[in-house]
Amino acid sequence: MALITLVSVAQAATGAYEAALPDDLATARDLCARVPCHEVFPGARSFSERMGQPPYVEAYGDAVAGKKTLLGYVMLSTDITDTPAYSGKPVVTLIGMDVQGRYVGVKVLKHSEPILLLGIPESALIKFNKQYMGKSVKDKIEVGPSRPEEGVLGVDAISGATVTVIAQNQVMRLSGATVARQVGILPPDVRPAARFRSGGQRWSWPELVKMGAVQRLLVQPEQVGLERGPQPFIELWFGDLNHPDLGASLLGNDGWASLHAQLKEGEQAFFVIRTAGDESFKGSGFVRGGIYDRVQIKQGPDAYTFRDLDYLNLYGLQAQGAPEYNESAIFIVRAKGFSAAYPWKLSFLGNRVDRATGTRSFANFDARYWLPAALLEGGRPEVTEDEAPWQRVWRTRALPIGLFVALLLAVTIVYALRERLTRLSTHKNKWPVNAFKYSAWALSIAFVGFGVMAQPSITQVLTWFHSVLFQWTWSLFLSDPFIFVFWVFIILTVFLFGRGLFCGWLCPFGSLSEALYKIGGRLGLKRWQGHLPRAVHDRLKWLKYAIFFGLLAVSMFSMGLAEMLAEVEPFKTTFLVGIPNRAWPYGLFACTLLGLSIFIERPYCKYICPLGAALAMPSTFRWFGLRRKQDCNKCKACAVGCGSLAIDAHGRIDHRECLHCLDCMVLYTDQTGCPPLAKERKRRERDGLLITPIGRDGYYIPIQPVPMPMPTQAKATHAAPGPDPRWPTDAVAPAHLAGATGLSWLLLEVRDHLWPWSTEGWRSQRALQMAGLSLAVAVSVAWVLAATGRLPSGAVIGWWFGWSVYEVLIRMSGRRYVKDGPWWQGQYREASWMDMLSYVGFKNLLIGATLFLVLKALGWLG
């Protein structure tokens, strides 16, 4: 692992992953003094300063007759668009284009795509970008195969990085087309002028806000990397002043008439006011003849920046209820391509500071505006806007997504009917079960793993965890439809059946590992196949939990380092990139695990997989388990045949370790394979008695009808000494819940989850209980300080983690029980340490995430 990490760090150091960029890259006039423009425009002798809006640079060749020869243009993608890639951040790209509009060079300066650090070499992105060389901004370029009949030029995608390359294609096309329109290579977009519907109405400010005629752009301090404070970084309100009714409502009749008299034909006016925050939207460095570089108006691919001649004073707002403001302006768009009938955005431009690293990045904060349909003759025009990368992925891959969903549904239905299948099987003929299970393995390996590359990973768990705590972005999760759908399936089935359905039936790497074990046995290697000694297994199985919690802890300080250490998963090497295409340490690690799988059944799944550990915790409280009967506590048949070693000496199944092979369920009703059933069958055959069907309790239905016992009486029916194997641990009946019903039961249930102290604990561990009260007060204070902006979110997470560790200790000393099954049922059992860790960890994760989301929604948490 140390070697793998060193290789990863070396790769990062030599590439563009999170590369450091100049702090003034977004504002420096001399762009090419800060970035290698010569690399994207070979042959250029010199470059101009930034010009135009959005800015670009002219590339010059040798002088002819004392005059520089214009060769083309260089542009920085983030000057034009901040289209996010899979990481949620833009790929900062330098692009060269000649005077005919052909791409002549592309260089990625910085990206934040971990998949291009650990899963796919950066050379793949370089190779992808080279496909644009010689293509024109006039071409319709799409990721995928060419379609000559539609005039589409295709570029090959990067396997496993579809979202990244779709976003990069949008960046290339939008950047090139935007500059090409400015310099005349492409004709400017011309939109029909707005035709207003005017009825002489006058609206108050609240009415204007409600109808969408006035919009707000709000930027909080934490969005630009500052500590959260009581005031926003900046709050702007803006709107249209071209519509007669809107203009008169906002400026009054005389004010609007005066403004309208100053506008020439085709010119459009808009107002902006600042109602909160100390930041100026005009910019403190503005001088006469300069540009207001803090705000822009964007419409489609076009961006409009304002000079001093495009500015008029706003002397007051006449709309009733208008807010007070401390900065204001009326801006005029003079370009003929702009139309007030079409949607546009007000963009506030600034710098964002990463508080973890101190690095600065260029940031746009946009708010969309579109005149209400009722104010336009004929309503709003039809507008076709570029799809977001994730939307395009879902649309273009609809068929394989549908097939994948059908596979998940089919496996779920088959597993839900598992008892019917296992009754048709015997220990000598398991094909009624195995036909479905082996088919699921084959499809998982071929279709899910190597086909659509939808192998889930622990990095997705860490990303989800961080997104819940810090910033939830739906587009980030929707950008890979197969992973998104798979996780919906995993979350639902983990709570229904435990982790075994995913891990045992549909995990591509687990399926491949199991298939190698089965194939090895068929090829004559069975004599060398086996399990680790039980004592060794019982110790090694905790390793995966240590790896999971270690990765979770590291991710709180450095997500990048956690992603590197997550190479403990061989998934990317096996499916995403391919063993031959990766550095030798990765390939050796994956091959070692697969080689061991020939002789030991699923060694990675049992002992290393952090994803399995993460899913095992909620599996503790699955709704449906596998059937057990009382005789299982003395019969070792199931335990001997359990490939995952999930059945203990008392016949109990640990659902955290169970991979749902269903072999024990086959034996449960097998008249020849289950020793108690075989013994009863032989007795009945010897005595000439009727062989009745096997009941749901796993025994022959009595020949003579007898009253069915209650579950708590089952031990007396088929008396067998020892613990009840239907429960992972002994059943417990909490005294304080005895006889409680309705609202009383619900209140006690809530108290049970939130109040860990108990009378038993005070008697046995008084010092621990007292320490807990002090810690509870400290944690509560930490939440209050975080809510008031005096404590960063990372600190309160640390306090919450400390409280969770303590809660495990205090509950084990006094309330050593957990629920088994759905929370609304009253099935309690004694908790093992792992039971309590799973319960407290999962419960406090949900509580902490809920508190974070509530505080975020209220604007109280930075």
Side-chain angles (χ1 to χ4, degrees), residues 53 58 116 119 128 180 230 308 472 482 486 498 585 607 670 687 757 795 814:
Q53 281 299 326
E58 290 185 342
L116 297 178
F128 171 80
D308 59 340
W472 183 271
F482 297 100
F486 214 167
Y607 308 120
D670 186 354
D687 297 341
W757 296 278

Side-chain angles (χ1 to χ4, degrees), residues 346-358:
L346 178 70
S347 181
F348 176 79
L349 292 76
N351 285 315
R352 181 189 290 117
V353 180
D354 188 324
R355 280 189 281 179
T357 64

